[in-house]
Amino acid sequence: MATWANLGLQDSSSPLMEQLNFFHDHTLLILTMITILVGYIMGMLMFNQFTNRYLLHGQTIEIIWTVLPAIILMFIAFPSLRLLYLMDEINTPSITLKSVGHQWYWSYEYSDFLNLEFDSYMIPTNELETNGFRLLDVDNRIVLPMNNQIRILVTATDVLHSWTVPSLGVKVDATPGRLNQINFLINRPGLFFGQCSEICGANHSFMPIVIESIPMNYFIK
């Protein structure tokens, strides 16, 4: 869950989000090195008084500054593509959950069980308990087992929505007339909060998502 002083990514709760965190740090390190190098060269150009009277062309340096950026881009592109394909991979799911976006609440259906569906509305501030989270808590949470492959089918009934839980690295567009799916695994118990991430009207900010992750034996009971 994001806090007021959190400037980075949220702590990961799934293997994919862990990999996304590593990729973010990897890319940021490359960008930092490039920024320092370019900044140093620009500083040297501004304060350096030396000139080379005989330097008309520099084929070697031109080859270096053409090839080097291409190699750096490959160091970013290959891990990025690997993650892209990993996120699109659908493993054999233990549980399928269907999420339907409405203006402005979510409804859920557990496809593996008979007649198990419910609506999930945000709890208004005046009805919130002392230990509740304002604008984030819902009346009916999604309960899912940890350490199991979970498939989410996402759609909408009216306008575009987006089903997003940052700590799991999950963001799926909910499009009317279309069924999108994503696969994830929660590797620890707890509460995971998300919100609709596609502007969907007046109450876009007030349709949160809460996942309660519990061990499999409790889930079966």
Side-chain angles (χ1 to χ4, degrees):
M1 178 183 165
T3 54
W4 66 275
N6 186 11
L7 298 177
L9 299 169
Q10 293 183 25
D11 292 340
S12 66
S13 305
S14 73
L16 267 178
M17 188 57 193
E18 208 168 279
Q19 291 295 314
L20 285 167
N21 269 329
F22 289 149
F23 176 65
H24 171 265
D25 296 343
H26 164 78
T27 312
L28 206 61
L29 186 66
I30 292 172
L31 288 174
T32 307
M33 282 160 40
I34 292 169
T35 307
I36 290 168
L37 179 66
V38 172
Y40 172 74
I41 292 169
M42 286 176 71
M44 289 296 289
L45 282 170
M46 281 189 283
F47 298 110
N48 195 336
Q49 301 298 319
F50 298 114
T51 53
N52 188 337
R53 291 185 298 145
Y54 303 106
L55 185 63
L56 300 174
H57 66 89
Q59 201 164 359
T60 312
I61 190 71
E62 283 179 14
I63 289 169
I64 290 169
W65 72 38
T66 305
V67 173
L68 199 63
I71 294 168
I72 290 168
L73 283 174
M74 283 166 65
F75 270 98
I76 295 172
F78 286 132
S80 171
L81 285 169
R82 173 182 158 269
L83 266 176
L84 204 61
Y85 280 102
L86 271 175
M87 290 174 75
D88 221 26
E89 189 74 33
I90 299 294
N91 300 309
T92 311
S94 306
I95 277 193
T96 299
L97 176 71
K98 187 178 178 187
S99 171
V100 184
H102 306 267
Q103 285 183 310
W104 288 272
Y105 65 96
W106 296 98
S107 60
Y108 299 101
E109 301 168 18
Y110 284 83
S111 309
D112 305 294
F113 304 95
L114 292 172
N115 299 323
L116 185 48
E117 50 186 77
F118 56 89
D119 295 333
S120 180
Y121 288 87
M122 185 194 79
I123 301 174
T125 309
N126 56 345
E127 295 174 20
L128 204 61
E129 292 180 14
T130 318
N131 59 352
F133 295 106
R134 181 178 165 271
L135 302 185
L136 281 178
D137 253 324
V138 294
D139 55 357
N140 292 312
R141 294 169 175 167
I142 312 161
V143 180
L144 292 172
M146 59 183 273
N147 293 327
N148 280 274
Q149 290 292 341
I150 295 154
R151 175 172 59 182
I152 302 278
L153 302 173
V154 183
T155 186
T157 55
D158 36 47
V159 296
L160 285 174
H161 299 280
S162 186
W163 198 86
T164 308
V165 183
S167 60
L168 299 176
V170 174
K171 187 172 195 282
V172 200
D173 281 347
T175 312
R178 183 187 172 95
L179 205 60
N180 291 326
Q181 70 172 354
I182 199 161
N183 194 73
F184 63 86
L185 179 142
I186 307 171
N187 58 14
R188 60 191 174 106
L191 288 178
F192 307 110
F193 296 88
Q195 288 174 299
C196 175
S197 297
E198 187 74 55
I199 295 174
C200 56
N203 292 335
H204 158 67
S205 310
F206 310 115
M207 46 184 302
I209 300 152
V210 183
I211 295 177
E212 189 174 338
S213 169
I214 58 173
M216 190 58 165
N217 54 344
Y218 288 106
F219 180 79
I220 292 167
K221 288 174 186 176

